[in-house]
Amino acid sequence: MESAPKVKLRPAGDPELRSGFLAGMARMTSAVTVVTTDGSAGRFGQTVSAVTSVCADPPVLLACLYRDTPVAQAVRVNGCFAVNLLSPEHLGLAESFAGRTPVPARYRFDDDWRALRTGSPIRHDVPAAFDCQVADVTAVGTHLVVYGQVVAVLSGEQPDLAYRNRGYVLADRSLV
């Protein structure tokens, strides 16, 4: 049984709420990943910071992809994707797959990309990579939330790259 909202919701597109949300989210540290896919809809990749685990049994993670991008549409059609957790040495890769490099260098897959089980491109020199079969897709606002059942994993010892305050930071500083 659904209950009535406890507060009056602001209308979609409220600029004050959006601005506050973006400022608050900039303070949240996120892993830097490149989500890739390959199949009948083509080979695509995109830098994504909205990735998280859902559960370990079975292993499932989710990635949030802007719905109007080629990678989002290709993931739906291909039925698979990979999440490549980047290290500081992959800063150029993060920038390229975020579309922040000159056009000829954007979104390029070089010879360092391989595949595990689904055919989605994976880097073997990253801290971790998760090869996933699409389990479900939910549209939320401007994004697709893509749930992937993990079918293969690579894990290394490299430090990982993170994003905070609209810039890249090292994520391997332990406090305890």
Side-chain angles (χ1 to χ4, degrees), residues 110-126:
D110 60 22
D111 292 339
D112 291 327
W113 293 92
R114 305 278 188 268
L116 290 177
R117 292 190 58 205
T118 69
S120 297
I122 286 182
R123 299 277 303 213
H124 286 260
D125 61 345
V126 295

Side-chain angles (χ1 to χ4, degrees), residues 95-116:
E95 289 289 285
S96 173
F97 280 87
R100 295 186 184 133
T101 56
V103 174
R106 285 187 193 167
Y107 315 112
R108 289 185 51 201
F109 292 95
D110 60 22
D111 292 339
D112 291 327
W113 293 92
R114 305 278 188 268
L116 290 177

Side-chain angles (χ1 to χ4, degrees), residues 50-153:
V51 173
T52 193
S53 64
V54 175
C55 61
D57 192 17
V60 174
L61 56 75
L62 68 79
C64 299
L65 306 171
Y66 186 68
R67 76 165 64 194
D68 292 334
T69 60
V71 71
Q73 298 310 312
V75 164
R76 278 188 124 158
V77 172
N78 293 342
C80 62
F81 66 98
V83 174
N84 294 272
L85 176 64
L86 302 185
S87 70
E89 72 181 54
H90 298 113
L91 185 57
L93 198 64
E95 289 289 285
S96 173
F97 280 87
R100 295 186 184 133
T101 56
V103 174
R106 285 187 193 167
Y107 315 112
R108 289 185 51 201
F109 292 95
D110 60 22
D111 292 339
D112 291 327
W113 293 92
R114 305 278 188 268
L116 290 177
R117 292 190 58 205
T118 69
S120 297
I122 286 182
R123 299 277 303 213
H124 286 260
D125 61 345
V126 295
F130 305 88
D131 196 11
C132 303
Q133 180 175 316
V134 173
D136 197 8
V137 178
T138 303
V140 179
T142 57
H143 283 65
L144 297 180
V145 180
V146 183
Y147 296 87
Q149 182 153 349
V150 179
V151 297
V153 179

Side-chain angles (χ1 to χ4, degrees), residues 151-174:
V151 297
V153 179
L154 270 176
S155 185
E157 296 297 321
Q158 305 89 329
D160 48 313
L161 184 63
Y163 197 76
R164 185 170 191 272
N165 286 331
R166 297 179 177 91
Y168 296 101
V169 297
L170 286 175
D172 68 339
R173 304 284 187 231
S174 297

